[in-house]
Amino acid sequence: MENVTGPCDDGDEVVGHRSQNDVFVTTGAMDPVQNESTSTPLAKDIPTERKTRVKRERRKMLKKKSPVIDHSPASEGSAASKQGLTESESSQKKMKRKLGDCGARVDSEEEKKTKKQKGSQRPNYFVSIPITNAQISAAVVEVQESVLQQEPRLVKAMIPAPTLHMTLLVTHLASQEQVSLAATALDKAMPSLAELLVGRDLVLPFSGVGHFRKEVVFVGLAPGQHRDTLEKLAEVLQRCFEEQGLLQGECRGFEPHLTIMKLSKAPKLRSQGLKRVNPDLFSSYTDRFFGDQRVDRLDLCSMLKKKQEDGYYHTESSLQLDSTHTWTPSLTLSQCGNVEGVDTHTQC
């Protein structure tokens, strides 16, 4: 074995011994890189100070490869200002509601009041012409069954045959007092309706199937003079209800139709991907004649109360047409007890 001396990269002198197996053992300072390449098998002989230096150099190299990301609010704010609003930030702006401690939506008092007002003003009563012609009802059921054979999911969107009717007016009645006022409005419409009909029957011929925005499917009313008469009848009712303070705001234009199915009856269909009714499902009935309906009476019905035994809507009051073509009021059982001389077995 012979002694060897030589310079190192950082200027330090290295002293060692060369053995028969040409293993070079260092006894002085040397560069960390050279340490790793030439002395790794004997790293335990490196002084503690040099080990610390090697570790420090390695940490520096790691820092260069993986720069530290600043997660401070100031840094995030700066990044957001450069890149624009993130999806979470924009969605928070769109919510416009405060979140409670549990992350649930909490409406302000003003929002609660607005919701309550909107809910309280939803229509809950309507005036209608009931469909009493069995021919029309049977034809409607035929269309519904044909549609269900092609799209069974629409079963809950169908209008039951016993409830078929043509709506003339919808309103919100907040109390029994207002229900009584609505019955009074029907009574006051009698003279104007009798003058409008002048002793003639009002017969409505139903023909063809159409739809509103593919969400409501209906049987249409054939053209003719009866449409003008029906529209004037609806105007008379609207005026009488307005005089009783039972209509607020503007009423939609009257479009006579007989609804046979509507998606709003089955809101879960939307989550199942059924958002529209395909017109092809009833295309074979677009020119079908359903039958004639004579206007026998007008009913004031509740949308929310339990239906009657015959399946029709709960009827608060009616105007019925007698054989002499004059309108006479038909009172409900609750009203009969307050009227003298009323035969509850015939009139009610």
Side-chain angles (χ1 to χ4, degrees):
M1 179 173 7
E2 57 179 335
N3 293 331
V4 180
T5 62
C8 195
D9 288 345
D10 60 359
D12 293 330
E13 186 177 67
V14 178
V15 179
H17 307 279
R18 187 182 300 277
S19 65
Q20 293 178 354
N21 294 329
D22 293 334
V23 176
F24 185 64
V25 182
T26 62
T27 57
M30 68 181 297
D31 186 77
V33 177
Q34 189 173 351
N35 263 336
E36 291 179 4
S37 62
T38 62
S39 334
T40 303
L42 300 176
K44 61 181 181 180
D45 297 330
I46 301 175
T48 304
E49 181 180 352
R50 295 305 176 189
K51 287 184 179 181
T52 304
R53 181 181 174 184
V54 170
K55 291 181 181 179
R56 184 166 57 249
E57 293 297 332
R58 286 179 178 175
R59 283 198 297 267
K60 288 182 180 179
M61 292 176 65
L62 290 176
K63 288 181 180 180
K64 290 180 180 180
K65 293 180 180 180
S66 303
V68 178
I69 300 176
D70 187 3
H71 293 284
S72 64
S75 175
E76 292 181 355
S78 175
S81 64
K82 293 179 180 179
Q83 299 177 0
L85 294 175
T86 62
E87 290 183 4
S88 60
E89 288 173 334
S90 77
S91 63
Q92 287 175 0
K93 283 194 172 185
K94 289 180 181 178
M95 283 179 65
K96 295 182 180 179
R97 287 191 178 97
K98 294 181 179 179
L99 295 180
D101 295 335
C102 298
R105 287 186 176 182
V106 179
D107 296 331
S108 65
E109 291 300 323
E110 184 177 351
E111 287 174 328
K112 289 180 180 179
K113 184 177 180 181
T114 302
K115 281 186 175 182
K116 187 176 181 180
Q117 289 175 346
K118 287 183 178 180
S120 64
Q121 294 303 317
R122 287 183 179 178
N124 57 353
Y125 280 85
F126 62 98
V127 178
S128 67
I129 298 171
I131 301 301
T132 57
N133 186 344
Q135 177 187 351
I136 299 176
S137 299
V140 167
V141 172
E142 179 184 334
V143 176
Q144 293 175 333
E145 290 178 348
S146 175
V147 170
L148 290 177
Q149 288 178 358
Q150 303 170 74
E151 183 51 87
R153 290 181 297 173
L154 288 171
V155 61
K156 291 187 177 181
M158 299 298 171
I159 305 298
T163 65
L164 291 174
H165 65 279
M166 173 177 281
T167 302
L168 300 174
L169 175 149
V170 295
T171 185
H172 175 82
L173 304 178
S175 63
Q176 188 58 43
E177 180 181 357
Q178 288 192 335
V179 172
S180 299
L181 287 175
T184 301
L186 278 181
D187 292 345
K188 290 188 175 182
M190 287 191 298
S192 297
L193 294 177
E195 183 180 349
L196 176 64
L197 295 174
V198 291
R200 296 173 300 181
D201 287 335
L202 176 57
V203 179
L204 307 177
F206 288 97
S207 178
V209 179
H211 64 85
F212 295 132
R213 301 182 301 278
K214 299 180 183 180
E215 297 177 354
V216 177
V217 180
F218 61 87
V219 177
L221 190 62
Q225 183 62 37
H226 54 273
R227 290 184 68 100
D228 295 335
T229 304
L230 185 63
E231 289 176 4
K232 291 177 181 178
L233 186 151
E235 290 174 0
V236 169
L237 291 174
Q238 180 177 333
R239 184 176 65 251
C240 291
F241 272 69
E242 287 176 344
E243 291 174 354
Q244 296 295 323
L246 300 176
L247 290 181
Q248 293 83 25
E250 297 182 359
C251 295
R252 296 179 180 179
F254 177 62
E255 179 61 35
H257 63 280
L258 172 59
T259 302
I260 62 175
M261 69 181 82
K262 56 183 178 180
L263 293 181
S264 60
K265 280 180 58 65
K268 291 184 179 180
L269 290 178
R270 180 172 290 273
S271 62
Q272 299 174 12
L274 188 55
K275 301 178 181 179
R276 297 287 187 273
V277 179
N278 190 342
D280 292 340
L281 297 176
F282 49 83
S283 59
S284 59
Y285 295 93
T286 52
D287 298 323
R288 168 77 175 269
F289 179 73
F290 284 72
D292 293 325
Q293 175 63 52
R294 179 178 180 269
V295 181
D296 295 318
R297 72 176 193 266
L298 304 182
D299 293 328
L300 172 64
C301 300
S302 169
M303 298 181 185
L304 306 179
K305 291 184 179 181
K306 184 179 179 180
K307 290 182 174 60
Q308 300 172 167
E309 291 183 1
D310 60 358
Y312 193 61
Y313 292 94
H314 176 86
T315 303
E316 297 284 356
S317 184
S318 298
L319 282 180
Q320 204 158 12
L321 186 64
D322 63 14
S323 58
T324 59
H325 306 293
T326 59
W327 293 94
T328 56
S330 178
L331 305 178
T332 61
L333 287 173
S334 60
Q335 294 171 303
C336 290
N338 299 326
V339 181
E340 295 182 1
V342 174
D343 185 353
T344 58
H345 297 285
T346 57
Q347 185 77 8
C348 297

